[in-house]
Amino acid sequence: MSLPAQPPKKLYSINAIGIGTFLGGPLAGGVMARRNLLNLGRAGQANQPLFLAIGLTIALFTALALAPSGIVEKMPGSLLPAIYIAAIVAGVRHLMGAELDQHKNEGGVFYSGWKTFGVGMLSLMVTLVLVVSIFMFGPGSSNDRAYQAGWDQIVANETKAGEFSTLVNKEDVTEQELVECLDKTVIPAWEDSDKVVTELEAIPWLDSSTRDQRSALRGYVNLQRERARLLRQVLTTGDEKAEKQLDEVQEKLDKVDLTAK
């Protein structure tokens, strides 16, 4: 009794793997390379290209999530796909190029373009989910949340410091009350903001506009601390020189732009 004929062995060509990688990213190339290794009887190595493709995908998009926006905007749109397509194709050629050439020379069967398209589209959907997760929960997102928390704290401190302006406009307020407000509320609020800015300056991988805003914020907080110190000096000593310096500091404060650009 003769054994049933085995179905012809199918493989993805190197060109097909390149096209699939173009459509679906490194993950598509890894999936197709894995199938080739399985069909070639190399099951022990089959998961290697898939794991490498997943690692490459995570590494590339994590780097994009962390990179300053100015750098990303200057990158040619075709650069990133060119890099990972070249990496995947070179890896496949090294891993199984000779076997694919032999398969072709012997008239072997290759998977159709529609199969390549399907793998590419499915891999693209999985890659998009992975990319969204990286941008939402990765270190870049964590840095943004830390920056926003610091910004919110500085805003809260400025609201506290604003109690001085409210007190100044009250009738029958005494200089002693104003000095106490400076000592107990205003100066501590801006000293805390100074510490917050120092923490913000330690946050890495912020985009260029946020870094510029952070730099302006440092100048703003320094000016507010100096303003509070001069206000106290004017109230307690009536120093005319301090009054002039106070006017200069206020002029600088009026010119500070904290808008992220």
Side-chain angles (χ1 to χ4, degrees), residues 2-227:
S2 61
L3 295 174
Q6 295 294 320
K9 177 171 59 179
K10 285 187 177 182
L11 298 174
Y12 290 103
S13 69
I14 289 180
N15 286 340
I17 292 175
I19 294 170
T21 303
F22 173 76
L23 295 172
L27 183 60
V31 169
M32 297 165 79
R34 178 180 183 275
R35 172 48 56 190
N36 274 3
L37 289 173
L38 288 173
N39 290 355
L40 288 169
R42 297 165 61 183
Q45 297 176 289
N47 288 329
Q48 291 180 10
L50 180 59
F51 291 155
L52 288 173
I54 293 172
L56 179 60
T57 301
I58 293 173
L60 284 174
F61 288 103
T62 298
L64 284 179
L66 293 174
S69 61
I71 294 178
V72 176
E73 291 166 1
K74 293 177 182 178
M75 286 177 56
S78 60
L79 178 61
L80 188 61
I83 290 173
Y84 61 67
I85 291 171
I88 292 292
V89 168
V92 169
R93 193 179 298 277
H94 173 75
L95 194 60
M96 64 188 83
E99 289 166 291
L100 289 175
D101 289 342
Q102 181 181 354
H103 185 74
K104 179 180 179 181
N105 293 335
E106 293 176 351
V109 181
F110 287 94
Y111 285 109
S112 68
W114 284 111
K115 184 76 172 181
T116 298
F117 179 80
V119 172
M121 291 297 98
L122 182 60
S123 298
L124 177 61
M125 288 188 286
V126 174
T127 298
L128 289 176
V129 172
L130 180 60
V131 170
V132 170
S133 299
I134 289 173
F135 276 84
M136 288 184 63
F137 305 109
S141 177
S142 176
N143 289 341
D144 291 341
R145 290 193 297 270
Y147 184 85
Q148 185 60 51
W151 177 272
D152 291 343
Q153 182 60 43
I154 292 173
V155 171
N157 286 338
E158 181 158 29
T159 300
K160 288 182 183 178
E163 294 178 14
F164 182 82
S165 298
T166 302
L167 189 61
V168 166
N169 294 322
K170 287 180 62 176
E171 294 183 6
D172 301 326
V173 64
T174 65
E175 289 185 358
Q176 182 60 33
E177 288 175 322
L178 292 174
V179 171
E180 286 182 1
C181 181
L182 287 169
D183 289 341
K184 295 180 180 180
T185 303
V186 179
I187 293 175
W190 288 116
E191 287 179 344
D192 182 67
S193 291
D194 178 72
K195 294 177 182 177
V196 173
V197 173
T198 300
E199 293 172 357
L200 294 183
E201 289 170 338
I203 298 176
W205 304 108
L206 295 175
D207 60 57
S208 58
S209 64
T210 306
R211 292 199 307 273
D212 291 342
Q213 184 187 53
R214 182 177 59 184
S215 178
L217 191 59
R218 163 56 72 192
Y220 180 75
V221 169
N222 286 345
L223 286 171
Q224 288 287 13
R225 291 180 68 202
E226 180 66 7
R227 177 176 177 271

